[in-house]
Every structure is written in structure tokens, then in C-alpha cells.
Amino acid sequence: MEGMAYGAGKAGGAFDPFTFIRQPYTILRMVSWLFSIVIFGSIANEGYVNRPDEVEEYCIFNRNQKACNYGVAMGTLAFLSCAAFLALDVYFPQISSVKDRKKAVLADVGVSAFWSLMWFVGFCFLTNQWQAAKPEDNPLKEGADAARAAITFSFFSIFTWAGQAFLAFQRYQLGADSALFSQDYADPSQDPAAAAAAAAAGGPYSAYPGGGDMGGQISTGSYQQPSMDDALDGGYQSQY
């Protein structure tokens, strides 16, 4: 795309919220954000049950506290990650440095791929523990819908985060338009190769600051120190 750097135009443009909301990666982030709320909300609110003759509540997933902790922790962290990258997406067009944009896009690729993997692990873990749960541990089947919701949205989160990783990788492949964005500048006078090339081409080179005031011409004539005899002959006149 002409004039684009990693999927966004030149810095300084006006922010259009309607265009931003319609972006595919924005939609996927918001969907993943909602999924994370459902997951940790379902487990935190209805993920602990007990038998009729018990007072203490246990995790609905086979009474394995680690399963509930995993679901709540991953849901909370995924929620914060979505919020952080949504804020980065809003600020991204204002980043003028191509290198900084590249770092942001690479971070998006890595984080999204990581969360896709974590939700795959979470889906397998929660499903296994739910299948291993004993009916006598929850005779009233309390929280069953919440457990199924957590498992279902964990499965969906695998693909929403994988989609974000794919779109971020596409943005990385777009690269940057070097004609519109500033790159690192190297002073030719400090670069030996550039100086040698300029000398070989016969280009003008100022040997001292302010040389341009003389029209770019530098005197190359030789200067000879006057001898003592010339100084005496020229500076003394005989009175006789």
C-alpha cells in the first residue's frame, strides 16, 4: 500500500472511530475481550460447589482448584491484554517511527500467538477435568452451565487469538514506505565510503565551515615564505 507503514498511514492523521471499529483486528480484539469476561466471570461466580452435607465449596472441575485458578487467571490476563492492545491500536497511527511500529506489530504477533496456545491448553485442561468430575460431588448439578460456558468460550478464544496473530503477521509483511517515513540519517562527511565516493566523482567538498561564502572555490595556489634577503631589500632604502 502506498504511503502505509505496517497497516497504518503517515503519523499525524485524524483518528476516525468508525473506521477503527470496522477494522478486522479491532473486531477480533473486542470479541476476545468479551470471551475473557465470560470465562473468568463464569468460573468466579458459579465455578465452586459443594455437597449437601458439606460447608466448604470446591472447584466444579473435578474439585481441582488448579483448574479454576487457571481459568480465572487466564481470563483476567487476557482481558487486560485485549484492553492494552486496543489502546495501542488507537495510538498506533500516531507513531512516527517505523522501527517503533515494527516492534509494536511484532509484539502483537507474539502475544496473540501466545494466548492462542494458552487457550488451547486451557480448553484441554478444563475439558479433561470436567469429564473426570464425579456426579456425587455435585448431585444438584449446580454451575453446570457456567462450566460448559467456560469450556466453550475457551475453545472459541483459540481461534480469535489465532486470527489476531494472523492479521498482525499480515501487517508486518506490509512493511513500510521509506519515501514517506524518516529513516536513520548518516552524515556523508562521517562515512569514509561516502567521502571517497564523493571525491572520486569530483563533487564539491567544503574543507572548512563557511566555505560556501566563497562560491565553492578554494585557492589551491602555493605560498612561499619570503627570504631574509628579500625582506631586507624590499624594506630598506639606502640613503646614499
Side-chain angles (χ1 to χ4, degrees):
M1 297 181 182
E2 186 69 22
M4 302 289 286
Y6 296 102
K10 191 174 181 180
F15 175 73
D16 186 359
F18 298 101
T19 302
F20 173 75
I21 294 175
R22 291 195 298 266
Q23 295 294 333
Y25 55 85
T26 304
I27 296 174
L28 283 177
R29 291 202 205 285
M30 297 181 68
V31 171
S32 299
W33 184 67
L34 291 175
F35 286 175
S36 64
I37 295 176
V38 173
I39 293 169
F40 80 75
S42 298
I43 298 177
N45 292 330
E46 301 182 40
Y48 297 88
V49 296
N50 57 355
R51 297 175 182 175
D53 57 344
E54 294 177 337
V55 177
E56 185 178 358
E57 293 183 338
Y58 297 91
C59 178
I60 196 173
F61 295 100
N62 195 29
R63 295 200 166 194
N64 188 346
Q65 187 64 28
K66 293 181 180 179
C68 287
N69 290 342
Y70 186 93
V72 172
M74 292 299 99
T76 303
L77 294 176
F79 171 84
L80 296 176
S81 295
C82 287
F85 275 98
L86 280 172
L88 178 61
D89 290 339
V90 173
Y91 178 70
F92 189 83
Q94 305 303 321
I95 301 177
S96 59
S97 172
V98 175
K99 291 183 178 181
D100 291 341
R101 288 192 177 193
K102 180 179 179 180
K103 293 177 182 178
V105 172
L106 288 177
D108 191 2
V109 174
V111 172
S112 298
F114 169 80
W115 277 114
S116 181
L117 176 61
M118 288 296 99
W119 283 123
F120 174 76
V121 173
F123 167 74
C124 295
F125 185 29
L126 295 179
T127 301
N128 176 265
Q129 293 301 304
W130 178 246
Q131 292 176 345
K134 300 176 181 179
E136 57 268 22
D137 292 335
N138 186 17
L140 301 179
K141 296 183 179 180
E142 297 177 342
D145 292 338
R148 296 190 188 96
I151 293 173
T152 301
F153 287 102
S154 295
F155 177 75
F156 291 156
S157 296
I158 299 173
F159 300 100
T160 57
W161 283 101
Q164 293 180 62
F166 175 75
L167 293 176
F169 182 72
Q170 282 189 327
R171 294 171 68 186
Y172 172 76
Q173 287 183 318
L174 289 176
D177 185 357
S178 59
L180 292 180
F181 292 86
S182 60
Q183 304 289 336
D184 291 339
Y185 173 76
D187 188 355
S189 64
Q190 303 297 328
D191 188 353
Y205 184 79
S206 178
Y208 59 93
D213 295 340
M214 300 178 66
Q217 298 180 356
I218 301 176
S219 175
T220 58
S222 62
Y223 173 75
Q224 296 181 353
Q225 179 72 21
S227 64
M228 184 62 70
D229 294 338
D230 293 338
L232 292 176
D233 292 341
Y236 175 76
Q237 295 182 354
S238 176
Q239 297 181 358
Y240 298 98

